[in-house]
Amino acid sequence: MQEYKLFAQRIGLVSLTNFISHFKGIILLPILTKNLPIEDYGVWAQVMVTIGIVPSLMILGLPAAMARFLPSVKNREEFQDIFYSFLSVVTVTGMFAAFGVYLLSESIADMLFGGNKVIVEILSLIIFFETLDRIFFDYFRATQQIKKHSTLQSLKELLLMALVVIFVLLGRGLMGALEALLVKSIIVFLISTVIIVSQLGLRIPKFRNLKSYLKYGIPTVPGNMSKWILDSSDRYVIGGFLGTSAVGYYSPGYALGNILQAFIAPLNFMLPMILSKHYDEGNLDEVKKYLSYSLKYFLAVAIPGVFGLSLLSKELLEILSTPEIAEHSYLITPFVALSALLFGVFVVFQKVAMLVKKTHIMGTIWLVAAVINLGLNLLLIPYIGIIAAAVTTLLSFMVSLALMAYYSLRFLRFDMNLGFILKSVFSSFLMSVLIIFWNPVGLFSIIIMIGICVVLYFLILMLLKGFNKYELEFFRNIFEI
């Protein structure tokens, strides 16, 4: 029980951090959409998409190897060698990416950023520091320094939001927002460097076993690339066919629906280390419990979230952005919200493939889904518009989940709580009836209604015995002071 309690409390801490991270786009949405032309907001969305993929590719899957192998390392010298080997490789690849983007800045600007070469030159610097920040943050994750990781992650997001607000409101516009991104990345880089050097000291790596770590990590790179194509390439396709204004209309609805990923992010963060430890020690029953509980508690939040966001999307977007953007964007949210739910379930099944070291399966699945997504986007967006991107995203996530569940269950079966899923859907349906009849207008009315719906949903779920006595006692112990 004590181990579960510690795990759940760490999940709570990471959840708070990820709340800030995933809601960052929603918090900045009114500042950016109401102070920038729609074209500039579209460029901002393109920048954020680019930052999401390039550093992820440049780290060569090494964070996955770090999370899988570092928890079992006891020797300090071996630990130092692994980390500094990884850092050396990532520094070189980060420099390569930044230099490449800088050299091609004019061409990239013409294709994606309205011909503004300066934006791409700033972006090249951001990419370098973001790449290093990724490997630093994964060090704290792999060593389970959750408080440090959460504090730094919160600082990173709060610093970005504060700097963007200040620079934009001072009249710096889009360039000010990009300068805020760069300053934030440099500050976080410096702080992380000081902390890690103080813990590990400095050591010239000997790159022992680097080949085996890369062999484990690199197969996840196509998966990361494919996941990015699935998640974000639609912005590039929309921009290419319909222009940056269309990206500006599409992105708010996408951001609103995608906030449900905030609820799977803590589990995605914590599970690899916990599961690896139990799996390596042969405790398969514990592995199954963590997988089953993780899936159940994600769905308990995500299922009603899909219902609520779908019904409230237009009103929320009118509050967060402008009526014009809301009119173009509100139909995007339901498709993206359901896609985020499917992704959360995928993440739980994915952990099985990681445990049994079948990372090539993950890469293959993401590749198949990415090809479907990109192909359909290229075919449909020019004729149907931005709604096509949301629909193809949902279809692609459905394919991904079906394939991952099929392969994962061949290696390890666990309780998927099908009865609970039906109870959650039924409770969410009854909650939705209240939303439809209330039809709230304005921020205050929506906040009150959300609070009532949360209480109603969990009350119905309790009456349906969605949680057993052991689980309720478990939660009571978690929050007991």
Side-chain angles (χ1 to χ4, degrees), residues 198-227:
S198 69
Q199 292 183 354
L200 294 182
L202 293 173
R203 182 183 180 87
I204 298 175
K206 296 181 180 179
F207 303 99
R208 288 193 291 260
N209 299 318
L210 180 61
K211 183 178 179 180
S212 62
Y213 297 134
L214 288 170
K215 184 178 180 181
Y216 179 89
I218 286 178
T220 68
V221 175
N224 290 336
M225 181 65 182
S226 301
K227 171 65 166 55

Side-chain angles (χ1 to χ4, degrees), residues 354-373:
M354 294 179 67
L355 286 175
V356 298
K357 301 179 183 180
K358 301 291 184 180
T359 51
H360 65 281
I361 291 177
M362 296 155 48
T364 302
I365 290 173
W366 280 130
L367 181 60
V368 170
V371 169
I372 294 172
N373 181 262

Side-chain angles (χ1 to χ4, degrees), residues 27-61:
I27 294 169
L28 288 177
L29 187 58
I31 298 296
L32 295 171
T33 56
K34 295 179 181 182
N35 290 280
L36 299 179
I38 190 66
E39 295 84 359
D40 283 358
Y41 178 71
V43 171
W44 167 264
Q46 298 283 53
V47 168
M48 297 304 289
V49 166
T50 305
I51 294 172
I53 181 57
V54 178
S56 296
L57 295 178
M58 292 304 102
I59 54 182
L60 303 179

Side-chain angles (χ1 to χ4, degrees), residues 388-458:
V391 174
T392 58
T393 296
L394 176 58
L395 291 174
S396 302
F397 273 110
M398 291 172 65
V399 172
S400 301
L401 175 57
L403 292 173
M404 181 53 72
Y406 171 77
Y407 280 104
S408 295
L409 292 174
R410 292 172 61 186
F411 297 109
L412 186 68
R413 290 186 173 272
F414 59 93
D415 183 5
M416 291 180 285
N417 302 289
L418 297 180
F420 173 81
I421 293 173
L422 293 176
K423 294 174 183 178
S424 178
V425 170
F426 179 73
S427 302
S428 300
F429 175 78
L430 294 182
M431 177 196 75
S432 299
V433 173
L434 175 62
I435 297 175
I436 293 170
F437 279 100
W438 188 326
N439 190 26
V441 176
L443 180 60
F444 180 75
S445 180
I446 288 178
I447 291 174
I448 295 298
M449 190 215 59
I450 289 175
I452 293 174
C453 284
V454 169
V455 173
L456 177 64
Y457 166 77
F458 280 105

